[in-house]
Amino acid sequence: MGEYCGHERVVPVPSLLDYFRTSIDDVIADQGVVVEPHATHYVVNLLTLYSRSEELYDDEGEARGHKPLALMLADAEDAASAEERNSALQRIGDVALFISGFFADSLASHVVDLDYYIHMGGSAYGSLSDQIRGTFRGNAFADTYSELAAKFQVLVDVLNEMRDRERQDNDVDLLRTYAIWRKTGSKRAETLLRQHGVVPIT
């Protein structure tokens, strides 16, 4: 992630962690949404981690990418231990949040769309919160995962806005935005529609 100028030159930043923290805080404030600080801290760390492609993508010989979410869910269900299951659930939530936050437009050409990623990611974080609650790890992270599950759509909107601000994208695909609003109820999509003179009717 970096800033684009007229020639789309990437401008380096001293600290990705600080850059993402400032960007998220600014968007949250501008959108007037409420997200608990521990959840935003988690997302900042996730963005910093996934800025390195080797952390986002699986490397299986000639195949490089990430597994479909449905296969990740199957891995979680077939896990040999609670630790492996919880790790798989966290991976589903993390990948779903990152992809739906920064690559939502590309999902339009896929069989599974943005609402699928939002449902899978939110459900994974919710299940993870339930699984670890009452454990040593749960004392530290159960509420964070619960917040991520409850605010998944909100966080997707925040990351979408971060992406568009970064690439200084003022063009809005109204049909795509309307489809996103219809499927997900995105407040950001509704706001963009209204800004362009389209009043969505529930």
Side-chain angles (χ1 to χ4, degrees):
M1 305 290 297
E3 295 182 19
Y4 291 87
C5 67
H7 301 289
E8 296 189 355
R9 178 174 59 87
V10 176
V11 178
V13 294
S15 166
L16 271 180
L17 196 69
D18 290 341
Y19 169 76
F20 286 132
R21 181 183 297 111
T22 300
S23 298
I24 283 182
D25 287 346
D26 287 348
V27 172
I28 286 176
D30 290 346
Q31 291 188 349
V33 296
V34 178
V35 182
E36 293 297 323
H38 52 261
T40 58
H41 180 71
Y42 182 95
V43 176
V44 166
N45 285 330
L46 174 65
L47 298 183
T48 304
L49 177 68
Y50 279 1
S51 66
R52 299 187 294 273
S53 62
E54 66 271 15
E55 297 294 339
L56 174 62
Y57 298 112
D58 302 310
D59 192 354
E60 300 178 358
E62 296 180 359
R64 182 169 174 79
H66 60 77
K67 287 184 180 180
L69 298 184
L71 293 183
M72 292 187 196
L73 183 59
D75 288 344
E77 293 174 348
D78 296 339
S81 66
E83 183 177 352
E84 287 182 11
R85 181 180 63 249
N86 294 340
S87 178
L89 288 172
Q90 181 180 0
R91 175 74 172 167
I92 292 170
D94 290 351
V95 168
L97 181 58
F98 187 81
I99 296 298
S100 57
F102 285 103
F103 302 101
D105 293 344
S106 67
L107 295 177
S109 60
H110 287 63
V111 175
V112 293
D113 206 344
L114 178 60
D115 55 325
Y116 172 81
Y117 273 74
I118 290 171
H119 172 73
M120 288 287 283
S123 296
Y125 281 142
S127 295
L128 179 57
S129 175
D130 293 340
Q131 293 288 337
I132 66 174
R133 196 169 295 280
T135 66
F136 178 78
R137 182 185 178 200
N139 291 334
F141 294 105
D143 288 343
T144 297
Y145 292 124
S146 179
E147 175 79 356
L148 291 169
K151 301 289 178 66
F152 201 92
Q153 172 67 70
V154 171
L155 290 167
V156 168
D157 282 350
V158 168
L159 296 182
N160 285 175
E161 182 67 23
M162 280 179 59
R163 174 204 62 197
D164 287 351
R165 287 185 184 186
E166 185 59 26
R167 65 188 188 188
Q168 299 178 357
D169 189 354
N170 294 318
D171 294 329
V172 177
D173 182 339
L174 291 180
L175 287 177
R176 173 65 179 153
T177 303
Y178 180 73
I180 289 173
W181 174 78
R182 284 279 310 270
K183 289 183 176 183
T184 69
S186 164
K187 295 295 185 185
R188 176 176 182 269
E190 180 180 350
T191 298
L192 287 173
L193 289 171
R194 291 182 181 277
Q195 287 174 351
H196 287 78
V198 178
V199 180
I201 301 174
T202 304

